[in-house]
Amino acid sequence: MSDLENLPGVGPTTAKKLEEAGFDDLMSIAVASPSELAAIADIGEGTAAKIIQAARQKADVGGFETGDVILERMKERKKLTTGSKSFDELLGGGFESQAITELFGEFGSGKTQIAHQLCVNVQLPVEEGGLDGHAVFIDTENTFRPERIIQMASAYDMDTDEVLKKIHVATAYNSNHQMMLVEKAMEIAKQVPVRLIVVDSLTGHFRAEYVGRGTLADRQQKLNTHMHELLKFGRLNNAVICVTNQVSAKPDAFFGDPTRPIGGHIVGHTAMFRIYLRKSKGGKRIARLIDSPHLPEGEAVFMVNEEGIRD
Ligand code: ADP
Ligand code: MG
């Protein structure tokens, strides 16, 4: 008998349907929405709500910590260098651990390049701006390029084979799979010190899968759940979380104004950095920090060249 069958209202058939849809533990059910669960398991929304309520009671949904524990955890936050001094300064030293940094911008603005550079830089010793750890790369559009990693690692005279071995890449085939890969990453992080998790792109599958108007709320809720799980990963592992979001310059049907946060306000300002990227003349790129709680708004100019991200 599966774990789920201990929940009131869940028999073998319902448990099977839920498991097949990726809801294979109490936590995933605890954070689901009643309408989502009802559709997946062919049950009424009222029953679904009761199941979710029971799962919340049984699952360890986290909850309360004392202030001193939070203070200790916050003191451990680290900065990961981008490879560019001006970009690092814009971020108060680099990408911060235990927080989500969203890179958004048009196609070709440099999101994937930065993500690759972070996968290399995270392996540098702390004295050199790294976090002396491994990277997890959740790839949704087949953009990961080992050859590019080799170029970037060679620029630092690193052992390129070793660098590639410390980057754990998985391709997500759809949004559910993408979310499950965060759990897989948790397993990897039990074996090796993962200090960076990349999702490139965070929003691609969600945009493609949820198109009708009626699905907007479900989509946003799922995306919010995903962001929460990423944040949890970052906090548990003191890891940097880097997500990309391709936006067009004009407002879009799903996300509306491209400069508005995709996670809504659910992730919380303190845990979110948003960087708008755009191309400039002569191969230059401009990074703009948007509505950050502690840092001044500003811009940094950087380059993408053969060696990677540079001033
Ligand atoms: P996106 O924001 O769509 O993810 P990318 O990060 O893939 O954009 O950026 C692609 C751009 O990065 C290319 O157009 C090119 O300008 C630059 N780039 C990629 N590889 C190299 C390289 N080896 N040398 C110099 N520039 C590169
Ligand atoms: Mg890209």
Side-chain angles (χ1 to χ4, degrees), residues 286-307:
I286 297 166
R288 177 170 189 84
L289 186 66
I290 308 251
D291 54 43
S292 162
H294 352 270
L295 297 169
E297 281 218 357
E299 291 193 339
V301 180
F302 67 95
M303 300 278 297
V304 182
N305 63 29
E306 179 91 17
E307 299 186 315

Side-chain angles (χ1 to χ4, degrees), residues 107-108 110-113 141 143 200-201 244 246:
F107 176 77
K111 303 180 293 294
T112 298
Q113 293 300 310
E141 289 162 347
T143 51
D200 185 17
S201 127
T244 72
Q246 188 162 307

